[in-house]
Amino acid sequence: QNRTSMLLRFAGGSRRWLSQLPAVVQMATNGEVEEMEHFGEVRSSMIVNRVQEVQHPVLANTAVVEAAMRKRSAQASAAELSSWLRGPCGLVDDVAAEYAETLTRCGFDSASSIAMLTVDELERRRVRTGHARVMLSRVDELCVGERKKAGGPRMFDYETIVASLSVADAIESVEAAFGKLARGLVDVPIPMHIGVHETELYGPGDVHIKGGYVAGTPTFTVKLACVSFYKNLERGLPPGAGVFVVMDAATGATLGIFQENRFMTDLRTGAAGALAVKYCSRPQDSSVGFVGCGAIARNMARAAKAVKPDFVGVAYAPDDSAAAFASEMQEELGVPFEAVPTAHELCRRSDVVFTQTPGSAVVLESRWLRPHATVIASGSDQPTKQELPVDLIASSTYVADLVKQTSRVGELRAALAAGVVAETDVHAELGEIVNGDKPGRLGDEIVVVDLTGTGAQDAAIGQVAWDKLSKLA
């Protein structure tokens, strides 16, 4: 009788349920969920599962049930509630944070207390009906304190990451991060750069270290990206590598290490490109050009597909890779793609122009562009790089991902150095446009969006990666 009482309390039972123990336990033992509908479908299934667990020889002892009940009754932190709402429940950042605050404020901060709620009770606390049903069905996956007992961070290899993540996974999270960045709710330090000087045995190469924390999210991220190790080609290795380290925002502990080799960096860059198209191009713009046809261009094409499903692609690359890129993207995305012989022709035919080259030289001229073109540049991420002519920055509506970065390492840097613009000439940061504080464009003018890559994006894709891959066995 004592074990059965504990079992029912473990299942989230109330005094009314305890008064009906004999009938409830008999029905649960027989698996008669349908006969227990007046207890609610979710709770009834839960009781059946617990009774059957206790009848198992290994579990049929008071100590096991007490331990399980303690775990189920353990109080979750706001970060753990938010992680559960984002992960198993699949809710977006802002909604998860709102519900976590509501649950904490009302004292429903353990699996057993949440299980005692009904859909109606959650609705009265401003939880949407569908969300309430999901929360009650996934309450057993609320993990409290388990990370403190972990033996160390989880390791995720490149193949697992590539198989599990896509640009589409990143767009919503990166959009929310940009919005918070513009409101001062993201801590993003200035990137650190390490230059690996070329000698007979080592280098050349560049190392970029970025990171950030988006307020209210369960994790923060530090990223190390190695690029331009061109001698690797002679060794049969890719010219770049990279690691994301995702940390617990509640404890500071390392949760996961992602050997992503710049794949996650390219995904979050592609997500920013999607936002630039979404907010800064015109609705009727349909032709999208890609200057440079490497890994980033592929993610930019996937990003364009996410916001302009019926676009027509045009591709150009100085290294003659455009034809293969166009063929591959046409097959993957199901939209027409054509390779052209010059950047001039590409600009003449494109409403939106993505540039993603090594940044060693200017890749287009202002006079080549259509008068309403949106130019999205992502190739300049250090002071030695430049893709766009300074007169284009001066004559366009200029949008930065983060002015304090683009003024130091982006396209804005060269224009400031040439004296053709001042920082006061910047129209907006991308987050201000996402939030609706400023428009993406003023009319049919040329718009330039300068993407240097922010720690906010790294934090966003780090959270997405942890939410998805931490569930893998």
Side-chain angles (χ1 to χ4, degrees):
Q1 182 70 17
N2 289 338
R3 187 166 67 246
T4 306
S5 298
M6 284 189 294
L7 173 69
L8 199 50
R9 283 188 285 125
F10 176 35
S14 65
R15 290 184 181 276
R16 176 173 64 83
W17 296 11
L18 292 173
S19 69
Q20 302 179 48
L21 270 175
V24 169
V25 172
Q26 186 60 50
M27 286 185 287
T29 301
N30 296 335
E32 298 170 352
V33 178
E34 295 80 2
E35 303 298 325
M36 301 169 62
E37 288 183 351
H38 59 287
F39 291 104
E41 180 182 350
V42 174
R43 289 177 181 172
S44 301
S45 298
M46 196 181 300
I47 295 170
V48 171
N49 291 337
R50 298 300 179 268
V51 169
Q52 292 173 347
E53 284 178 9
V54 169
Q55 289 185 337
H56 191 282
V58 177
L59 299 177
N61 66 78
T62 302
V64 169
V65 176
E66 285 180 333
M69 192 169 74
R70 282 196 299 272
K71 177 180 176 182
R72 189 171 174 76
S73 302
Q75 185 178 23
S77 67
E80 287 168 329
L81 284 169
S82 181
S83 180
W84 168 66
L85 290 163
R86 289 167 50 91
C89 297
L91 304 181
V92 299
D93 293 355
D94 290 345
V95 174
E98 176 188 342
Y99 290 172
E101 181 183 356
T102 298
L103 292 171
T104 302
R105 185 177 66 251
C106 297
F108 297 105
D109 52 3
S110 67
S112 58
S113 64
I114 294 170
M116 291 173 63
L117 293 167
T118 65
V119 171
D120 288 343
E121 288 168 336
L122 284 166
E123 285 178 333
R124 287 198 292 273
R125 289 168 173 82
R126 303 178 68 84
V127 175
R128 296 170 210 165
T129 303
H131 295 170
R133 294 186 186 280
V134 171
M135 289 164 63
L136 292 177
S137 71
R138 308 302 290 269
V139 70
D140 274 351
E141 298 177 55
L142 174 56
C143 298
V144 181
E146 292 188 355
R147 287 172 291 190
K148 299 175 184 176
K149 302 176 185 177
R154 292 188 62 180
M155 310 291 288
F156 300 97
D157 61 31
Y158 178 76
E159 289 75 18
T160 301
I161 295 166
V162 171
S164 303
L165 298 176
S166 69
V167 172
D169 293 322
I171 292 174
E172 185 176 23
S173 182
V174 168
E175 182 169 9
F178 269 117
K180 288 189 175 183
L181 180 63
R183 296 199 300 268
L185 297 176
V186 183
D187 188 12
V188 180
I190 291 293
M192 186 169 119
H193 172 253
I194 301 172
V196 180
H197 182 69
E198 182 176 6
T199 63
E200 183 177 350
L201 297 177
Y202 309 112
D206 295 294
V207 182
H208 304 290
I209 302 170
K210 296 180 180 179
Y213 175 63
V214 180
T217 57
T219 69
F220 63 93
T221 293
V222 178
K223 178 196 73 176
L224 184 149
C226 300
V227 300
S228 305
F229 282 78
Y230 295 120
K231 286 184 179 178
N232 280 0
L233 298 175
E234 303 169 6
R235 305 179 178 108
L237 299 171
V243 172
F244 271 63
V245 181
V246 177
M247 317 287 287
D248 190 324
T251 67
T254 304
L255 295 175
I257 298 175
F258 297 78
Q259 183 68 50
E260 49 85 49
N261 293 342
R262 303 199 72 239
F263 179 78
M264 287 166 58
T265 293
D266 292 345
L267 288 187
R268 59 81 150 147
T269 302
L275 299 179
V277 175
K278 176 180 177 180
Y279 288 103
C280 298
S281 69
R282 305 179 311 166
Q284 67 269 35
D285 291 342
S286 60
S287 56
V288 181
F290 301 86
V291 179
C293 297
I296 295 177
R298 284 166 169 76
N299 281 310
M300 291 301 194
R302 294 166 186 139
K305 173 71 174 181
V307 293
K308 285 188 179 292
D310 300 319
F311 80 91
V312 175
V314 186
Y316 164 75
D319 61 1
D320 298 325
S321 60
F325 169 81
S327 176
E328 179 185 332
M329 290 295 99
Q330 179 168 300
E331 180 177 355
E332 177 183 331
L333 304 178
V335 297
F337 253 90
E338 182 181 352
V340 295
T342 66
H344 183 185
E345 183 175 347
L346 180 142
C347 291
R348 287 296 185 194
R349 295 175 53 176
S350 302
D351 300 311
V352 176
V353 177
F354 283 99
T355 64
Q356 50 278 312
T357 69
S360 56
V362 171
V363 297
L364 57 82
E365 296 183 20
S366 302
R367 60 190 177 87
W368 297 347
L369 295 165
R370 290 182 171 184
H372 56 267
T374 304
V375 181
I376 303 166
S378 60
S380 180
D381 57 6
Q382 56 181 283
T384 58
K385 296 183 178 182
Q386 181 184 352
E387 289 188 305
L388 306 181
V390 296
D391 68 295
L392 176 58
I393 306 301
S395 61
S396 65
T397 294
Y398 173 83
V399 176
D401 55 4
L402 189 61
V403 171
K404 72 177 183 180
Q405 276 188 200
T406 62
S407 62
R408 297 178 60 170
V409 299
E411 300 298 332
L412 181 60
R413 176 202 59 80
L416 290 171
V420 297
V421 297
E423 284 194 23
T424 53
D425 294 319
V426 173
H427 168 64
E429 290 188 339
L430 188 55
E432 295 177 292
I433 298 171
V434 166
N435 290 338
D437 298 328
K438 294 183 179 179
R441 58 169 49 243
L442 303 176
D444 289 335
E445 81 281 21
I446 293 176
V447 176
V448 170
V449 185
D450 193 356
L451 302 178
T452 53
T454 70
Q457 294 163 256
D458 295 320
I461 190 62
Q463 182 70 63
V464 168
W466 176 250
D467 285 345
K468 289 197 72 175
L469 275 69
S470 64
K471 299 185 185 69
L472 300 177

